[in-house]
Amino acid sequence: MERELTGLREIIGDCDKEIVQALKTRMECIEGIIQYKRNHGLPVLQPEQEKKQLDRICKEVEGTPFGEEIIHIFERIMENSRKIQAKALFDRNILLIGFMGAGKSTVSACLGKMLAMETIEMDRFIEEKEGMKISQIFDVHGEEYFRNCESNTLIELRSKNHAVISCGGGVPLRPHNVELMKKNGYVIWLTAKPEAILERVKDSTERPLLNGHMNVSYISSLMESRREKYSAAADLIIDTTGKEIVEICEELLQKLSAMQKNKKEDE
Ligand SMILES: Nc1ncnc2c1ncn2[C@@H]1O[C@H](COP(=O)(O)OP(=O)(O)OP(=O)(O)O)[C@@H](O)[C@H]1O
Ligand SMILES: O=C(O)C1=C[C@@H](O)[C@@H](O)[C@H](O)C1
Ligand SMILES: [Mg+2]
């Protein structure tokens, strides 16, 4: 009986060795793919390719016991492959800035999934720390206090090195914040036409600066007054008007890779 158990454990040990070897080979292939994509200016991530691989695995395990568990393991393998690709392609944080409703939070969530990167919402981070919603912080402590919370959060986030950070809409207003952001990663400015912004945020009361001012003319003038500040902070600008989220993320990744490539060639 005991010998049978030892035998089974030995087989598991051999399986693990084979799995480790196969994973090493798989990761090496991923490194090769990264290099190829870089050299040929191809999109960073190709979700249709991942879907093809997963379909292949599903067929392979069809009707076998543990099919569901095996698929689950492969999903993790693919998630980690995305992580390796993203780490190789982007060596720094990605910080999203822009007007309220420009899509920073939505794009950040989508990018985080695509690149298997950690995502950080500055507004949520502050809400958790202060134990109240942004609108309450404005009501109880005033805007200046909230702006100090933003600056302190940026200081805390200096320790992050591979995250997508969705900044509050007003973060680039302070020059010192801009300095911190630029040191901490690539700053991407998401823009949208005032009409599109209004359409996106008109039913929400969560943005204190817009409460009582839900109209295109107010949004336009506040946006205009901030344009120079956003522009000074931005490494890259992406117009989101009329675009789907995935489309925006793909454009962002394409432009970011090209920018990184140019930067490295200049160095
Ligand atoms: N490209 C888009 N097309 C249509 N709707 C969008 C787009 N991007 C975001 N939205 C929608 O607009 C709303 C605001 O988006 P989101 O919260 O991501 O903006 P934000 O830039 O994070 O705003 P804030 O600065 O207030 O945090 C959400 O309901 C979201 O679903
Ligand atoms: O643009 C702004 O000033 C703000 C944007 C939101 O993300 C919140 O940070 C807050 O509502 C202020
Ligand atoms: Mg947001």
Side-chain angles (χ1 to χ4, degrees), residues 221-237:
S221 67
L222 184 56
M223 197 186 270
E224 212 40 55
S225 72
R226 290 180 168 191
R227 183 173 302 280
E228 225 174 278
K229 298 266 167 53
Y230 286 140
S231 173
D235 292 311
L236 205 67
I237 307 171

Side-chain angles (χ1 to χ4, degrees), residues 101 103-106 121 123-124 166-169 207:
K104 302 175 295 293
S105 303
T106 319
E121 275 287 325
D123 283 343
R124 300 294 85 75
S166 168
C167 300
R207 297 172 177 88

Side-chain angles (χ1 to χ4, degrees), residues 98-225:
F99 199 79
M100 290 165 269
K104 302 175 295 293
S105 303
T106 319
V107 169
S108 158
C110 182
L111 268 184
K113 218 170 169 195
M114 283 171 97
L115 301 169
M117 276 167 86
E118 180 189 4
T119 55
I120 297 160
E121 275 287 325
M122 277 186 71
D123 283 343
R124 300 294 85 75
F125 190 96
I126 294 171
E127 284 181 340
E128 267 165 38
K129 199 150 201 179
E130 295 295 313
M132 53 177 114
K133 304 286 279 179
I134 305 276
S135 47
Q136 274 178 295
I137 304 177
F138 271 68
D139 286 346
V140 176
H141 299 293
E143 181 171 349
E144 188 64 13
Y145 178 89
F146 175 71
R147 298 299 173 200
N148 290 337
C149 292
E150 288 182 320
S151 301
N152 290 335
T153 305
L154 276 181
I155 292 169
E156 274 192 56
L157 294 181
R158 278 189 307 194
S159 58
K160 298 285 171 192
N161 59 17
H162 199 68
V164 184
I165 302 173
S166 168
C167 300
V171 171
L173 301 181
R174 288 185 172 178
H176 182 59
N177 289 351
V178 173
E179 266 175 51
L180 287 171
M181 283 194 288
K182 282 190 170 293
K183 271 192 201 148
N184 201 12
Y186 299 106
V187 182
I188 321 284
W189 177 18
L190 300 182
T191 66
K193 296 222 158 55
E195 293 77 7
I197 297 280
L198 178 65
E199 199 45 44
R200 293 178 194 173
V201 304
K202 64 181 188 321
D203 298 324
S204 162
T205 53
E206 303 236 315
R207 297 172 177 88
L209 295 182
L210 293 183
N211 290 341
H213 305 286
M214 274 299 175
N215 57 72
V216 168
S217 106
Y218 185 82
I219 291 173
S220 287
S221 67
L222 184 56
M223 197 186 270
E224 212 40 55
S225 72

Side-chain angles (χ1 to χ4, degrees), residues 27-42:
M27 308 284 183
E28 278 162 19
C29 291
I30 286 168
E31 283 182 333
I33 289 173
I34 293 167
Q35 203 50 50
Y36 183 91
K37 283 182 180 172
R38 265 202 191 126
N39 295 344
H40 293 80
L42 285 172

Side-chain angles (χ1 to χ4, degrees), residues 2-134:
E2 196 139 311
R3 209 184 285 155
E4 197 183 324
L5 196 61
T6 312
L8 288 171
R9 283 179 177 150
E10 273 170 12
I11 296 174
I12 288 182
D14 290 344
C15 284
D16 287 350
K17 267 191 207 153
E18 277 177 42
I19 292 170
V20 168
Q21 195 46 53
L23 284 175
K24 277 189 190 164
T25 310
R26 197 179 193 283
M27 308 284 183
E28 278 162 19
C29 291
I30 286 168
E31 283 182 333
I33 289 173
I34 293 167
Q35 203 50 50
Y36 183 91
K37 283 182 180 172
R38 265 202 191 126
N39 295 344
H40 293 80
L42 285 172
V44 180
L45 296 161
Q46 294 170 309
E48 69 288 352
Q49 197 55 38
E50 201 174 285
K51 195 180 170 306
K52 264 192 220 161
Q53 286 164 358
L54 207 54
D55 285 349
R56 210 165 51 211
I57 305 292
C58 287
K59 274 214 185 93
E60 193 81 36
V61 300
E62 218 170 53
T64 58
F66 316 119
E68 202 181 308
E69 288 77 8
I70 295 173
I71 290 168
H72 188 249
I73 291 168
F74 269 94
E75 282 169 347
R76 293 290 78 75
I77 290 177
M78 285 173 188
E79 185 185 341
N80 280 287
S81 301
R82 251 179 285 150
K83 210 179 250 180
I84 292 171
Q85 294 198 56
K87 270 193 179 151
L89 287 160
F90 305 115
D91 47 359
R92 310 174 71 202
N93 295 309
I94 298 175
L95 294 101
L96 301 176
I97 60 162
F99 199 79
M100 290 165 269
K104 302 175 295 293
S105 303
T106 319
V107 169
S108 158
C110 182
L111 268 184
K113 218 170 169 195
M114 283 171 97
L115 301 169
M117 276 167 86
E118 180 189 4
T119 55
I120 297 160
E121 275 287 325
M122 277 186 71
D123 283 343
R124 300 294 85 75
F125 190 96
I126 294 171
E127 284 181 340
E128 267 165 38
K129 199 150 201 179
E130 295 295 313
M132 53 177 114
K133 304 286 279 179
I134 305 276

